[in-house]
Amino acid sequence: SGVRPVILHPAVVESFVLSILFDNLDGASVSHGQSHFRAGQFDSREPVLRGDLTLRIDPLERPKSGAYRFTQEGVPATPCVLVEAGCLVTPVLNLKYARRLGKTPTALPQDYDTVHFEGPPVLTLDEALAEAEGGALVLHVLGVHTQDPVSGDFSLAAPQTLAIERGRLGGRFRPTLAGNLFEALRSESLRLVRFEGTGTPGILMRCRL
């Protein structure tokens, strides 16, 4: 065990990283003070994540499954930037919490295929494997719903994990991943990893393994 490089498969990025981010960007959580992010941080241009990280939703990208023309409340679909250059722009807001926070309603994420996580340098999988020597490729994690999304601290079982040895994938093992997600998302060592056939990138980061 110790701090090692890990590559999170896009499925893990969606089920863990983006899930925790959206929990904290939820307008109700922000309004009630139950988010890692405070209401006053939005539009403050105070970086809360690394300075090249952007998170946006584009519900107009048809025919993707997350695309729509109107929300259930009748709000027209419009592209929306939630995080830009590491700074918070807006929470995810329905009509109720847009009014409560004095902001404009936003696009609502219906599926990850219209969510874009961008900014940090993008590596090919081969490049990422070379940089993650002695680490692991994590294909699945368990227990995300039991983590504390506000602190960002995590300890996750990873039953589908492959060792990385000499720049190649090795044998399967079952480690536990532990660390703090927000520290990872602020780290200058974080990289995105391109996986063919997926819109969501993988992530190369460091955590306890």
Side-chain angles (χ1 to χ4, degrees):
S1 64
V3 176
R4 298 190 193 178
V6 297
I7 301 171
L8 304 182
H9 185 274
V12 178
V13 174
E14 291 178 356
S15 67
F16 168 45
V17 180
L18 294 180
S19 174
I20 295 288
L21 275 176
F22 276 112
D23 279 349
N24 285 287
L25 288 165
D26 176 68
S29 296
V30 173
S31 177
H32 294 302
Q34 298 171 340
S35 167
H36 182 78
F37 306 126
R38 301 184 306 278
Q41 289 179 298
F42 292 86
D43 280 332
S44 72
R45 307 313 296 173
E46 168 198 344
V48 297
L49 304 175
R50 58 176 282 162
D52 55 2
L53 196 149
T54 293
L55 180 65
R56 61 185 179 88
I57 308 170
D58 188 354
L60 297 177
E61 292 183 305
R62 291 156 64 176
K64 293 183 177 180
S65 60
Y68 59 87
R69 295 177 63 188
F70 296 91
T71 69
Q72 292 182 336
E73 297 177 312
V75 177
T78 53
C80 170
V81 177
L82 303 171
V83 180
E84 184 173 38
C87 299
L88 300 172
V89 178
T90 180
V92 176
L93 296 169
N94 62 14
L95 288 171
K96 174 181 177 180
Y97 286 99
R99 284 194 297 268
R100 186 164 291 186
L101 292 170
K103 293 183 173 292
T104 303
T106 69
L108 306 176
Q110 304 292 341
D111 197 312
Y112 285 117
D113 63 356
T114 54
V115 172
H116 299 272
F117 184 69
E118 305 163 327
V122 181
L123 305 177
T124 66
L125 182 55
D126 285 344
E127 290 170 338
L129 290 172
E131 288 202 16
E133 178 63 34
L137 170 62
V138 180
L139 302 172
H140 182 65
V141 293
L142 298 175
V144 172
H145 67 286
T146 67
Q147 307 302 301
D148 175 13
V150 178
S151 72
D153 291 335
F154 63 87
S155 180
L156 296 166
Q160 296 180 26
T161 297
L162 298 174
I164 298 172
E165 302 164 350
R166 296 183 294 278
R168 297 186 178 185
L169 294 174
R172 180 175 168 181
F173 68 121
R174 300 169 62 91
T176 297
L177 308 181
N180 183 276
L181 179 59
F182 295 108
E183 288 180 9
L185 292 175
R186 286 191 290 267
S187 172
E188 291 303 311
S189 67
L190 183 139
R191 298 289 184 267
L192 303 184
V193 184
R194 185 182 304 108
F195 281 75
E196 295 302 322
T198 67
T200 301
I203 287 178
L204 171 61
M205 57 183 256
R206 298 180 66 83
C207 67
R208 292 192 299 281
L209 182 67

